[in-house]
Amino acid sequence: MGRSIRRFRSLLILGAAALALAALAGCFLRGGAPAGALTYKGPAEISLKPGETLTGTDIVYVGLSDSMAEFTIEGQRALKKAGDSLDWKGEPVEGVKLDLGLRLLLLTDQTVHTGGTVDIEVANAEPVAQPVESESPIKFGVPVTYGIDRGEMIPGTLISYEERDEDRGAKLGGIEDYAYRKTGDSIVWEGKLRGNVWLRLDVRVLFYNETSLRVGGIATLWLEK
């Protein structure tokens, strides 16, 4: 029992380290997206039960086989141990590129746990504001931070930074409700980036001055086939 607990803790530590390194690498290696495209990249943790498909891919988790995780990848059987890679790159829906770089962190009888990075590129993004109505199972949440100059829009939205008000805070454009936010206040936007991609951006004001605004939070995307 003690050995199992130590092994479990070791796997969790290795997994946390892998996620931290992956996220750090993403900060330095992220390249520029093509004109009109938006990119979302960050750490990912995905758990699968037997019979489930890895989100956005054709990889199916079959179950445990002789203490190894059995997958179907490109129609072929693949046995993997904790620490092995589970990668996928392709276009799950039209106009969207998906790159999953995962590793198996923990195997149990009920679930396989993976961790790593997700990189999503949405081509020809043209934001349109409307409440999210998607129930697509292809869904990802990615941490984001943005620095916006005065007069510019928060990427993926129609919300702009207009000016700094000494008393009321940062004035936003492109919203119908109260336009001012102070440090720590939330900004939420829902809409479509293209016909088959929905976005819910939930961020908070980190900093603002006379020339710029910085926000950080979570971008949740739904990809529809």
Side-chain angles (χ1 to χ4, degrees):
M1 179 66 71
R3 181 178 298 176
S4 298
I5 293 174
R6 288 195 296 271
R7 185 182 179 189
F8 176 77
R9 289 175 176 171
S10 297
L11 286 170
L12 288 181
I13 292 171
L14 286 172
L19 286 173
L21 288 172
L24 182 61
C27 293
F28 290 102
L29 299 179
R30 184 172 183 168
L38 290 173
T39 58
Y40 299 88
K41 183 172 183 177
E45 291 185 68
I46 301 175
S47 297
L48 296 170
K49 296 179 180 180
E52 291 185 338
T53 301
L54 181 62
T55 304
T57 80
D58 57 359
I59 297 176
V60 178
Y61 175 51
V62 178
L64 282 185
S65 178
D66 295 329
S67 299
M68 298 181 72
E70 180 180 343
F71 294 88
T72 300
I73 302 176
E74 297 180 358
Q76 296 181 317
R77 183 176 184 238
L79 293 175
K80 293 180 176 289
K81 299 170 62 176
D84 287 353
S85 63
L86 188 67
D87 299 337
W88 191 89
K89 183 182 293 186
E91 190 170 297
V93 301
E94 182 182 356
V96 179
K97 294 180 180 179
L98 173 65
D99 187 349
L100 285 171
L102 305 173
R103 287 197 176 272
L104 275 62
L105 302 182
L106 181 65
L107 313 179
T108 71
D109 292 336
Q110 295 80 27
T111 312
V112 60
H113 301 275
T114 73
T117 59
V118 57
D119 191 343
I120 303 169
E121 182 182 296
V122 181
N124 303 316
E126 296 182 357
V128 176
Q130 64 183 97
V132 172
E133 298 176 351
S134 179
E135 296 182 357
S136 173
I138 309 177
K139 176 183 176 182
F140 296 94
V142 182
V144 294
T145 56
Y146 296 120
I148 305 101
D149 290 334
R150 185 173 175 179
E152 291 185 345
M153 293 183 184
I154 299 174
T157 80
L158 299 177
I159 299 175
S160 61
Y161 178 46
E162 298 300 310
E163 62 182 9
R164 175 182 182 271
D165 185 278
E166 185 69 29
D167 297 318
R168 292 179 287 184
K171 182 180 180 181
L172 306 177
I175 60 175
E176 298 180 357
D177 300 325
Y178 187 70
Y180 295 90
R181 302 290 191 278
K182 293 185 177 181
T183 300
D185 286 350
S186 62
I187 302 172
V188 178
W189 190 89
E190 292 188 353
K192 278 191 168 183
L193 298 182
R194 50 181 292 141
N196 58 350
V197 180
W198 295 82
L199 168 68
R200 185 178 194 272
L201 188 70
D202 191 344
V203 297
R204 289 188 179 275
V205 174
L206 303 178
F207 170 83
Y208 65 92
N209 58 21
E210 287 78 6
T211 60
S212 64
L213 168 73
R214 179 165 289 275
V215 299
I218 298 294
T220 303
L221 296 101
W222 289 261
L223 313 181
E224 296 184 331
K225 291 188 176 182

